[in-house]
């Protein structure tokens, strides 16, 4: 017979040990089953969703190669104008099924994953890898650009969505943009210069 744990820290650790496996399970389901957890019968990969939990889990587990693969898949779904759809279908047979637009902070998340990947891996050569932009006819038909050029287009799009002369986001960029618009504008102007 074991005695009850009277140590408050021990009790907190025991509670943590009970739910952490479920967080890991949810992150794995979201990564391995390319759809939202609420879409158990089918659905798309949410651009924001897949760039959050699965990436954080993979980085915490020091699984850098899957982060690179995930990032390449997300980059290949980027529209030529620099934006991503709110969600997209993962399988090639469903290529044309995707959101027509995005809202809020969607454009930021792939850029954050790129930064996290580069910091974790030190793989600066990845910036020179050619990845297609989305084209409904297939990846071979899409315009190809380096990952660096993909990032530049996204940053320039963010810059266009800020109301000139203010730190306010234009249509649908969300509150988070107000905190970040100055550095992003600076970064976008730097990114417009040739070379990484």
């Amino acid at each position: 017979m074991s005695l009850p744990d009277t140590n408050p820290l021990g009790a907190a650790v025991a509670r943590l040990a009970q739910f952490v496996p479920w967080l890991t399970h949810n992150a794995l389901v979201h990564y391995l089953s390319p759809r939202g957890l609420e879409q158990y019968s089918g659905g798309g990969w949410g651009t924001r969703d897949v760039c959050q939990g699965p990436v954080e889990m993979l980085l915490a587990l020091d699984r850098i190669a899957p982060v690179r693969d995930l990032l390449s898949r997300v980059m290949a779904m980027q529209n030529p104008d620099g934006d991503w759809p709110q969600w997209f279908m993962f399988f090639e047979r469903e290529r044309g099924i995707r959101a027509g637009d995005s809202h809020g902070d969607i454009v930021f998340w792939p850029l954050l994953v790129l930064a996290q990947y580069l910091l974790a891996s030190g793989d600066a050569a990845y910036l020179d890898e050619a990845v297609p932009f989305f084209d409904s006819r297939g990846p071979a038909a899409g315009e190809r650009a380096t990952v660096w050029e993909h990032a530049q287009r996204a940053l320039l799009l963010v810059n266009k969505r800020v109301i000139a002369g203010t730190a306010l986001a234009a249509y649908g960029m969300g509150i988070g943009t107000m905190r970040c618009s100055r550095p992003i504008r600076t970064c976008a102007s730097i990114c417009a210069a040739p070379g990484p």
Side-chain angles (χ1 to χ4, degrees):
M1 180 166 110
S2 63
L3 297 173
D5 189 353
T6 57
N7 178 345
L9 182 58
V13 169
R15 283 193 306 275
L16 187 63
Q18 286 179 328
F19 78 80
V20 165
W22 286 104
L23 296 177
T24 304
H25 174 266
N26 286 347
L28 280 170
V29 167
H30 209 76
Y31 173 59
L32 298 173
S33 177
R35 59 188 52 89
L37 296 175
E38 73 286 355
Q39 300 168 332
Y40 54 87
S41 65
W45 240 15
T47 303
R48 176 193 306 120
D49 299 334
V50 78
C51 289
Q52 290 176 343
V55 169
E56 293 296 330
M57 179 201 61
L58 291 168
L59 290 171
L61 295 173
D62 199 28
R63 299 296 310 270
I64 305 303
V67 174
R68 187 181 200 275
D69 176 66
L70 184 150
L71 182 57
S72 294
R73 291 174 187 271
V74 170
M75 286 291 186
M77 291 296 128
Q78 185 181 23
N79 297 322
D81 71 353
D83 203 0
W84 277 269
Q86 187 75 21
W87 56 268
F88 56 89
M89 298 305 277
F90 181 83
F91 300 108
E92 189 59 33
R93 69 180 180 262
E94 300 165 331
R95 176 173 197 75
I97 303 171
R98 59 192 266 133
D101 59 1
S102 67
H103 66 268
D105 57 350
I106 298 300
V107 71
F108 295 110
W109 287 99
L111 296 173
L112 178 60
V113 173
L114 176 59
Q116 290 173 311
Y117 171 75
L118 292 172
L119 288 170
S121 69
D123 180 16
Y126 180 64
L127 293 171
D128 295 324
E129 184 172 309
V131 175
F133 284 99
F134 176 78
D135 189 302
S136 61
R137 299 170 294 172
E143 173 191 355
R144 294 185 76 76
T146 65
V147 169
W148 175 247
E149 292 167 326
H150 277 259
Q152 285 180 316
R153 286 195 194 179
L155 288 169
L156 290 171
L157 179 69
V158 169
N159 190 39
K160 288 179 189 174
R161 290 182 174 174
V162 175
I163 298 171
T166 75
L168 299 174
Y171 59 93
M173 285 296 289
I175 295 288
T177 309
M178 289 187 230
R179 289 191 312 257
C180 301
S181 63
R182 186 172 298 271
I184 289 172
R185 278 200 311 268
T186 303
C187 189
S189 66
I190 293 168
C191 291

